Amino acid sequence: MDTGNDVRLAQCFIAVDDHDKALVFYRDVLGLEVRNDVGFEGMRWVTVASPEQPEVEIVLEPPAANPDASPADRQAMAELLAKGMLRGVNFTTTDCDALFERVRAAGVDVLQEPVDQPYGVRDCAFRDPAGNMLRFMERPGPG
């Protein structure tokens, strides 16, 4: 009997307004690997992934990448992105403080310095160059 346990995350999407700026951040600052960077139907298809989790890719796409989106919808999405109102991504790390110092040194917009949360993680938060909120969580070790 199939238990349905074969479902795994393959890709998630982050809206970006400038692929080149996004690549500097995700590749050069965070250390993610570029998996794809190709033109596709008049758009640019860029995926990045962590070397620690190669089976999960992040697609960096323009806001309202749907080709059926109206001009008004595209404008609304671009405005939401500019305000930082679109959802970002949560990452895990083994050393929140070291990651925080590395990312802050790159001049990225800091939203939250590392703090121990009441729900059991230490985390920090930044905005990527497009304004998306990214959180980096360090889970406590065994013990």
Side-chain angles (χ1 to χ4, degrees):
M1 180 171 140
D2 184 1
T3 61
N5 291 335
D6 64 341
V7 176
R8 296 171 50 100
L9 180 65
Q11 295 175 325
C12 61
F13 294 77
I14 295 178
V16 299
D17 55 356
D18 183 320
H19 281 100
D20 293 325
K21 285 181 184 175
L23 279 173
V24 167
F25 176 74
Y26 287 96
R27 179 193 59 215
D28 301 342
V29 176
L30 292 185
L32 301 182
E33 298 173 342
V34 176
R35 298 295 167 82
N36 290 293
D37 187 349
V38 296
F40 179 72
E41 295 186 4
M43 293 189 302
R44 189 172 174 188
W45 179 264
V46 179
T47 60
V48 294
S50 168
E52 301 297 318
Q53 197 176 21
E55 71 279 7
V56 178
E57 294 180 328
I58 299 171
V59 180
L60 305 174
E61 69 172 1
N66 183 335
D68 297 325
S70 71
D73 289 343
R74 291 179 194 279
Q75 181 63 33
M77 292 294 291
E79 289 172 6
L80 289 171
L81 178 62
K83 292 178 186 178
M85 298 295 292
L86 300 181
R87 300 299 300 169
V89 172
N90 292 351
F91 294 89
T92 60
T93 181
T94 57
D95 189 339
C96 181
D97 294 275
L99 180 129
F100 176 81
E101 292 303 329
R102 185 175 85 237
V103 175
R104 180 172 63 178
V108 177
D109 185 17
V110 174
L111 294 176
Q112 176 199 303
E113 293 191 9
V115 64
D116 292 325
Q117 298 290 358
Y119 45 88
V121 301
R122 182 168 180 79
D123 70 358
C124 62
F126 297 94
R127 288 208 187 280
D128 75 0
N132 297 297
M133 182 179 72
L134 306 177
R135 297 191 78 75
F136 299 87
M137 301 178 292
E138 177 184 344
R139 292 191 172 106

